Amino acid sequence: MIYMVMYLRLYHSRFLSKITVVSLVLSIMTSGNTNVNSQDADWPVHEFRGVWIATVANIDWPSSPHLSSSQQKQELIAMFDKLEELNFNAVVFQIRTSGDALYSSHLEPWSAYLTGKQGMPPSPLYDPLAFAVTEAHNRNMQLHAWFNPFRARAGSTQRSDLAANHISHRFSSACYAYGKDLWMDPGDPDVQNFTFNVFMDVLERYDVDGIHIDDYFYPYPVGDQDFPDANTYRRYGGKMSLSDWRRDNINKLVKNISKGIKARKPFVMFGISPFGIWKPGHPSHVVGFNAFNEIYADSRKWLENGWVDYFTPQLYWQIDPPAQSYTALLDWWTEQNQHKRHIYAGNFAAAIVTKSWPVTEIERQVIESRDRRSKQSLGNVFFSAKYFVQNTDRISDMFKSHIYNYPSITPEMTWLNKTWTLPTPQNVLATGTAVTWQADDSPAIRSWALYRVYADGWLLVKVLSKNVTSVDHLIEGKYALRTVDRLGGQGKAVTFILGGSGASVVG
């Protein structure tokens, strides 16, 4: 609660005949979210609102591998503009689809999905990841860099047209044709080390907010074809069974990436979006694919051990069918979360096309996720961006009207090690319908949050870019302005009153 004493001082000056100055003496809100949030679970202020932007096969961006650099930028700007309009606050941007790079890399070749030929840079030359980071941050959206760790090529087993520095050539004996794809051997130490270095290279050189891995570890099974890693197993498997050894290879990668992030940039988030079922029978009535035994993903272990900062199980099923129920699986995952990491359910927005789901199914899933906030269910990530850009089945209209019809700040991860202290807004001046404040070049500030009192609590009105120093056309009322950092943390508040005569000077 904020306690205020307001007093008016009327004075004359030889320059101004009369000015009413409203001075506010208040106790400042602390940085905890509970001091600002006062709405119920249906209207949470702090909520992760993410969307995957898939670049593999040009699913979301760029729409074609033959666009100019200018056209690529225009497409991404239009996509980000739409997501900002819909009050999304995070994008999960795929930058490594299969041993390639949608960014400038000395380790891996430019992606064919970007330029039509692997190893060919965009022309005119630019760095898509650096561009995307800047554009996302300018719109108060986090950008999480999304990697596929071991897939070497999707949709073809040919190597002859891959760039000379591609991972399939660099470690040719550890690259296998499997089904219609090429895969690297996760058990090969050189592959493991190189993959880790690719992750760390991006972490160190780019201002990304998160590092993200999806559900591809060992490949999904293709008929009766076995993954051909027998020689690697004989060399490195020791006394472990083949299945345990394969799981251990994935566990090592996850643990090492987690430790690597914390050692280099402890404020960067690490998230994984695994297949939504750990094992059939967990929970008891759930049946389906066994990711633990088939792709060797012991995803529960990663959550239980606190190796991730957020967990996004791909819950790509409807709520009602009991065999794979969205809510039953979400409940189960929240129960495995002893370290109280954030759970952001993965939602299959594409199913409104691929499975003819009613768009209201997605709405219901968001509501169910919000109903579990007390269990650390703090947001959602949707696959994928193009359905919102294209407003497929009017999904964007629905989000804009009553799902994401107000802005939101991402939930703060209090266990991450911050290296900064957020400043308090300075020289806040409210006049008429406008408020201005002093610019601040502190690197701690990502955004400004503007709140207004509604009924008996604060409601987030706007999230503003760091470079903004004024807002106009506000209605009368009591407001608060706070700084926001990259993790959703907030600084101390300055409050002010709009309405009445004169100016409100608040610090």
Side-chain angles (χ1 to χ4, degrees):
M1 182 179 293
I2 300 174
Y3 298 94
M4 296 188 300
V5 177
M6 295 187 297
Y7 61 95
L8 303 180
R9 291 190 295 187
L10 305 180
Y11 65 96
H12 292 269
S13 122
R14 58 180 171 176
F15 300 108
L16 298 174
S17 60
K18 194 175 190 179
I19 298 178
T20 302
V21 179
V22 181
S23 298
L24 303 180
V25 181
L26 58 140
S27 67
I28 298 297
M29 290 183 285
T30 67
S31 61
N33 297 339
T34 55
N35 291 300
V36 174
N37 299 353
S38 59
Q39 57 287 330
D40 60 27
D42 291 329
W43 299 96
V45 167
H46 288 255
E47 179 177 52
F48 192 88
R49 299 173 175 179
V51 63
W52 280 289
I53 299 177
T55 57
V56 63
N58 302 101
I59 289 174
D60 290 308
W61 181 87
S63 61
S64 164
H66 306 296
L67 301 181
S68 68
S69 297
S70 177
Q71 290 171 323
Q72 291 175 4
K73 290 179 180 179
Q74 289 170 8
E75 278 195 352
L76 198 60
I77 286 172
M79 180 176 290
F80 282 7
D81 283 346
K82 184 63 176 181
L83 296 173
E84 180 187 26
E85 176 191 340
L86 297 177
N87 287 320
F88 280 87
N89 56 27
V91 294
V92 183
F93 186 60
Q94 190 175 29
I95 64 165
R96 187 188 197 244
T97 75
S98 41
D100 55 357
L102 281 96
Y103 59 96
S104 180
S105 173
H106 67 282
L107 295 175
E108 299 196 292
W110 287 101
S111 175
Y113 300 123
L114 190 66
T115 63
K117 181 180 179 181
Q118 191 175 91
M120 179 184 295
S123 180
L125 182 65
Y126 82 108
D127 189 323
L129 177 55
F131 180 78
V133 166
T134 298
E135 294 299 323
H137 291 174
N138 286 344
R139 292 162 178 79
N140 308 298
M141 294 189 294
Q142 293 180 351
L143 188 138
H144 297 237
W146 166 17
F147 299 76
N148 291 99
F150 297 117
R151 185 173 61 197
R153 188 168 194 175
S156 173
T157 59
Q158 295 297 317
R159 304 191 199 187
S160 58
D161 58 340
L162 297 177
N165 64 334
H166 186 254
I167 193 171
S168 65
H169 298 311
R170 191 186 295 264
F171 307 109
S172 58
S173 63
C175 180
Y176 313 134
Y178 186 80
K180 296 180 180 180
D181 303 328
L182 287 176
W183 285 86
M184 301 308 298
D185 188 340
D188 184 282
D190 291 334
V191 170
Q192 278 263 353
N193 292 335
F194 180 80
T195 302
F196 173 82
N197 289 337
V198 168
F199 278 76
M200 295 302 107
D201 173 59
V202 170
L203 174 72
E204 292 173 345
R205 292 194 296 120
Y206 293 90
D207 189 24
V208 296
D209 299 291
I211 299 295
H212 185 95
I213 307 175
D214 62 14
D215 57 314
Y216 285 101
F217 296 100
Y218 280 85
Y220 281 82
V222 177
D224 295 329
Q225 184 178 353
D226 192 22
F227 190 70
D229 60 351
N231 290 336
T232 316
Y233 173 56
R234 278 194 292 270
R235 291 183 65 186
Y236 303 109
K239 296 181 179 181
M240 287 185 284
S241 69
L242 176 61
S243 293
D244 286 343
W245 173 74
R246 286 175 173 173
R247 276 187 291 272
D248 186 61
N249 293 329
I250 304 304
N251 291 340
K252 285 178 180 177
L253 178 76
V254 171
K255 185 177 181 179
N256 287 339
I257 290 173
S258 179
K259 291 173 64 177
I261 293 171
K262 299 301 179 284
R264 291 162 174 81
K265 289 185 178 179
F267 48 84
V268 170
M269 294 165 271
F270 181 35
I272 301 182
S273 53
F275 186 78
I277 299 172
W278 176 60
K279 289 182 183 179
H282 299 268
S284 60
H285 59 279
V286 164
V287 300
F289 181 76
N290 192 327
F292 182 86
N293 285 336
E294 300 290 349
I295 58 174
Y296 308 98
D298 191 357
S299 48
R300 185 176 73 169
K301 184 183 186 74
W302 314 330
L303 182 61
E304 283 184 332
N305 287 351
W307 294 344
V308 294
D309 299 304
Y310 69 91
F311 199 72
T312 303
Q314 296 180 25
L315 304 184
Y316 286 4
W317 301 276
Q318 292 177 285
I319 292 171
D320 297 329
Q324 298 102 11
S325 166
Y326 177 90
T327 47
L329 285 162
L330 179 56
D331 286 336
W332 186 83
W333 280 114
T334 61
E335 292 166 1
Q336 315 310 309
N337 187 20
Q338 63 187 19
H339 285 277
K340 304 298 181 184
R341 298 309 194 225
H342 291 179
I343 305 294
Y344 308 144
N347 301 78
F348 197 29
I352 61 178
V353 173
T354 62
K355 298 184 178 182
S356 300
W357 285 8
V359 71
T360 52
E361 173 68 26
I362 304 299
E363 177 185 16
R364 291 177 62 204
Q365 292 183 0
V366 174
I367 293 171
E368 292 291 347
S369 295
R370 287 173 171 173
D371 284 345
R372 290 157 174 78
R373 284 185 64 82
S374 63
K375 300 178 180 180
Q376 297 299 107
S377 171
L378 302 178
N380 301 83
V381 184
F382 300 89
F383 188 87
S384 63
K386 68 179 180 181
Y387 300 100
F388 294 93
V389 173
Q390 298 169 2
N391 195 20
T392 305
D393 283 1
R394 302 190 67 181
I395 188 171
S396 297
D397 293 342
M398 180 181 72
F399 269 68
K400 188 174 182 179
S401 67
H402 59 276
I403 298 180
Y404 289 173
N405 55 314
Y406 61 95
S408 177
I409 296 170
T410 57
E412 184 178 9
M413 296 178 178
T414 55
W415 59 90
L416 293 184
N417 184 18
K418 293 185 180 183
T419 58
W420 61 83
T421 300
L422 273 169
T424 302
Q426 298 295 313
N427 297 330
V428 179
L429 174 64
T431 307
T433 63
V435 60
T436 61
W437 59 93
Q438 180 178 307
D440 195 321
D441 61 359
S442 168
I445 301 175
R446 173 67 60 82
S447 309
W448 308 91
L450 182 65
Y451 294 88
R452 183 180 184 273
V453 169
Y454 284 86
D456 60 348
W458 295 98
L459 184 68
L460 183 62
V461 176
K462 292 179 181 290
V463 182
L464 304 156
S465 173
K466 175 180 180 176
N467 297 325
V468 173
T469 56
S470 65
V471 182
D472 201 351
H473 308 296
L474 298 172
I475 62 175
E476 292 184 0
K478 182 167 71 173
Y479 289 84
L481 184 68
R482 305 180 77 179
T483 51
V484 184
D485 65 25
R486 62 188 299 138
L487 293 173
Q490 296 181 88
K492 296 177 180 179
V494 172
T495 66
F496 58 93
I497 305 293
L498 276 180
S501 60
S504 175
V505 183
V506 216

